[in-house]
Amino acid sequence: MTLDAFSAGEILFIVAVIAASGFMHGIIGFGFPIIAMPVLAAAFDTRTAVLVTVVPIVAIIAISSVRGGGLRNSVGRFWFLPIFTAAGGVVGTGLFLAAPAPLLTLLLAVFILVYLLLERYGPGRFEFVHRHWVAFAAVFAFGAGITETTVNIGVPLLLIYFMLAGVETLALVQTLNFVFLFSKLVQVGTLVAAGALDAASLAALAPLIPVAVLALYAGMRIRDRFDVATYRRALRIFLWLAVVLLAARWGQEVLFAAPGARAAAQGGMAAL
């Protein structure tokens, strides 16, 4: 994978998507793959989208994991989450091979939608979840691992947990990035071991890192001005956006599941 494989227009498009996704990640503290993956996968394919984004996303989630200090109160408190996320990933891999992709995508969208409706008409923090935060953290992390490996989106479930438990903003952002930094490093290692990424590919994709990081810091400057209420509104907007993107992805999966639909679509693109 090198940028030489793309035309000048395609490179500009990739840079714009990376910048926009990094900016959104900076504003809310996460969300890069939810923005970048559907857009790039629609323009190219899922494999290309993964390979193009994996290098810049490791850089920005590493920065987001440590920015702001207080790691002992956030990452130190939720150190066990990657273990349950990894366990969920093992189960999710089996589901990915056995269950229809559109069904899994739809279930995640419905779960997020139910939470948003519940959160709108109920309390901002659920005391039962707050009192039993360790058990609920394990359950939601396990679920996030499943959705990360089945539909490549794991953030919403953990985000919902943190909002239910009333976790403070800094701990929420740092912990989410810490959890998915672990999983992304595993993903990079897997891609390297499989030969999908090598040193030359990593070097070729390195110029995307400053694009993502500069956009990240621009978004962070905006987030630093948010009060708690404004930030929670931004999180709800993010989750509504996730529902819309998942619904669109579900429609795309259903369409391409029809016999001959993908071939016809690819043929139409080739004719343009």
Side-chain angles (χ1 to χ4, degrees), residues 40-105:
L40 292 175
F44 304 104
D45 57 73
T46 300
R47 182 178 183 276
T48 299
V50 169
L51 294 177
V52 166
T53 57
V54 70
V55 173
I57 196 173
V58 168
I60 67 172
I61 62 179
I63 293 171
S64 300
S65 296
V66 300
R67 182 179 183 267
L71 293 179
R72 186 173 182 178
N73 294 325
S74 52
V75 175
R77 181 184 176 191
F78 295 102
W79 61 269
F80 58 90
L81 290 186
I83 299 173
F84 287 94
T85 304
V90 173
V91 175
T93 300
L95 291 175
F96 177 73
L97 297 173
L103 174 61
L104 298 169
T105 303

Side-chain angles (χ1 to χ4, degrees), residues 21 24-25 28-36 155 177 238:
S21 303
M24 178 61 71
H25 195 107
I28 61 175
F30 46 86
F32 185 102
I34 290 184
I35 305 300
V155 164
N177 283 280
F238 170 80

Side-chain angles (χ1 to χ4, degrees), residues 38 46 81 111 127 171 197 235 261 269:
T46 300
L81 290 186
F111 185 89
E127 292 299 330
L197 278 177
L235 295 183
M269 289 295 293

Side-chain angles (χ1 to χ4, degrees), residues 58-233:
V58 168
I60 67 172
I61 62 179
I63 293 171
S64 300
S65 296
V66 300
R67 182 179 183 267
L71 293 179
R72 186 173 182 178
N73 294 325
S74 52
V75 175
R77 181 184 176 191
F78 295 102
W79 61 269
F80 58 90
L81 290 186
I83 299 173
F84 287 94
T85 304
V90 173
V91 175
T93 300
L95 291 175
F96 177 73
L97 297 173
L103 174 61
L104 298 169
T105 303
L106 182 61
L107 286 175
L108 179 57
V110 169
F111 185 89
I112 299 171
L113 182 60
V114 169
Y115 164 75
L116 285 168
L117 295 176
L118 182 65
E119 205 262 350
R120 179 173 181 178
Y121 297 108
R125 185 180 86 170
F126 289 72
E127 292 299 330
F128 182 75
V129 177
H130 183 67
R131 288 195 302 270
H132 304 281
W133 66 272
V134 175
F136 276 96
V139 170
F140 276 83
F142 186 81
I146 292 176
T147 61
E148 177 73 13
T149 51
T150 53
V151 298
N152 205 35
I153 297 175
V155 164
L157 287 182
L158 278 176
L159 173 58
I160 288 172
Y161 161 72
F162 287 131
M163 294 176 74
L164 288 173
V167 175
E168 60 275 14
T169 299
L170 178 60
L172 182 155
V173 171
Q174 288 181 330
T175 306
L176 278 174
N177 283 280
F178 166 70
V179 170
F180 291 104
L181 175 61
F182 179 84
S183 65
K184 286 301 174 185
L185 289 174
V186 172
Q187 182 183 32
V188 170
T190 303
L191 291 172
V192 170
L197 278 177
D198 53 23
S201 298
L202 292 172
L205 295 172
L208 295 176
I209 294 177
V211 173
V213 170
L214 288 173
L216 173 74
Y217 275 106
M220 284 177 170
R221 293 191 65 178
I222 294 176
R223 182 179 10 125
D224 289 341
R225 301 172 186 170
F226 287 173
D227 56 25
V228 174
T230 301
Y231 184 70
R232 288 188 66 88
R233 283 196 296 271

